[in-house]
Amino acid sequence: MIIAIDGPAGSGKSSTAKAVARRLNITYLDTGAMYRVITLAALRKNIVSTDDTALAELVAATKISFTGVPPATRVWMNGEDVSDEIRGEKVTARVSEYCAPAVVRNALVEEQRRIGSGCSLVCEGRDIGTTVFPQAELKVFMVASVVERAVRRKKDFEKLGITKTDHELMADLEERDRKDASRSLSPLAKADDAIELDTTGMTLEQQIDWIVERAEQLVVNERN
Ligand code: DC
């Protein structure tokens, strides 16, 4: 079974997707982390996001891997643990730019499909239900008010020692949503057959239960 979880930044995708994967004992794939790794690699090498040739070479030369069981997963770039660095301000501010070029998206989507072939997984991102796994059995599009998303982001950043005002966080989120939803190739979008889940005011536990119940119901329906 493939469970696709899409939605804007801070809508609760990551924590929910990780816990759902754990509860169902299936693979967890964080596609945002893959775009973040490529962004970090490009920034370190001073490659601009318009240089398709250099980006294509970079993507081919950058091995992205994941280890650990959620929530304790780690993200690796050519053998280096970059889990914290890819969540920092520098990468976060530029990732919408580097995830847009076709040379980046096509290669990463191919890799995501390879990881997902033949196994059950929970995959989170922006284009999972529309592009990466349009055949996913369960598609959830998570949304939340920008105020709530900023509160969640603040907590994430605080864990990394970064302090930002609510105003800055809301502006950053809205700007990233705008860029992610307006790019030409597989933008942030709700698939026609996705169920929208507004997590504003919901606890993490409620979000997890909501998805797990639907996934279990699908399994029951398949058996009958
Ligand atoms: O989920 P996240 O915040 O870690 O994602 C980082 C960026 O990557 C986000 O701004 C949009 C992009 N992204 C994407 O374009 N497609 C995906 N499937 C996942 C993330």
Side-chain angles (χ1 to χ4, degrees):
M1 173 191 286
I2 294 182
I3 303 177
I5 304 185
D6 290 301
S11 55
K13 297 185 305 289
S14 291
S15 353
T16 310
K18 280 181 189 167
V20 169
R22 207 181 150 94
R23 284 257 287 268
L24 298 174
N25 198 21
I26 59 179
T27 303
Y28 162 69
L29 178 59
D30 176 0
T31 61
M34 298 171 77
Y35 291 102
R36 286 173 181 270
V37 170
I38 296 302
T39 304
L40 174 63
L43 291 175
R44 282 196 188 165
K45 293 205 149 79
N46 289 320
I47 295 172
V48 291
S49 60
T50 45
D51 188 344
D52 278 353
T53 311
L55 276 180
E57 276 170 23
L58 181 79
V59 174
T62 307
K63 174 146 178 47
I64 305 170
S65 48
F66 297 93
T67 56
V69 177
T73 41
R74 305 301 295 174
V75 187
W76 304 78
M77 178 176 82
N78 293 332
E80 175 189 351
D81 184 347
V82 291
S83 314
D84 293 336
E85 197 172 353
I86 59 166
R87 308 272 162 217
E89 269 184 289
K90 271 194 199 146
V91 171
T92 302
R94 304 289 301 277
V95 62
S96 289
E97 198 185 309
Y98 285 93
C99 73
V103 284
V104 174
R105 295 207 77 81
N106 293 343
L108 293 196
V109 167
E110 193 182 317
E111 176 67 4
Q112 290 154 16
R113 290 187 181 141
R114 193 193 60 73
I115 295 170
S117 70
C119 74
S120 282
L121 89 163
V122 180
C123 186
E124 59 136 320
R126 303 294 190 287
D127 59 343
I128 311 305
T130 53
T131 305
V132 183
F133 297 119
Q135 79 283 17
E137 286 85 350
L138 179 59
K139 299 182 185 179
V140 183
F141 193 79
M142 293 180 74
V143 295
S145 73
V146 71
V147 175
E148 176 132 352
R149 294 195 284 134
V151 170
R152 292 176 186 164
R153 265 297 124 103
K154 196 170 195 170
K155 286 185 192 149
D156 292 343
F157 273 137
E158 275 168 5
K159 280 184 208 149
L160 296 173
I162 301 167
T163 316
K164 284 205 158 210
T165 66
D166 294 353
H167 183 76
E168 279 171 331
L169 285 164
M170 283 194 273
D172 289 354
L173 282 170
E174 283 178 327
E175 175 62 3
R176 195 139 68 92
D177 290 352
R178 192 189 59 72
K179 284 188 186 153
D180 290 340
S182 62
R183 65 164 177 257
S184 56
L185 201 60
S186 57
L188 163 68
K190 176 175 172 289
D192 290 338
D193 51 350
I195 317 171
E196 184 166 305
L197 175 64
D198 186 343
T199 64
T200 312
M202 283 176 85
T203 64
L204 179 59
E205 223 31 59
Q206 287 170 328
Q207 296 165 33
I208 300 161
D209 288 346
W210 192 94
I211 297 178
V212 168
E213 276 165 25
R214 273 155 190 82
E216 285 173 345
Q217 193 56 50
L218 279 174
V219 173
V220 172
N221 292 350
E222 252 172 42
R223 279 202 202 114
N224 296 333

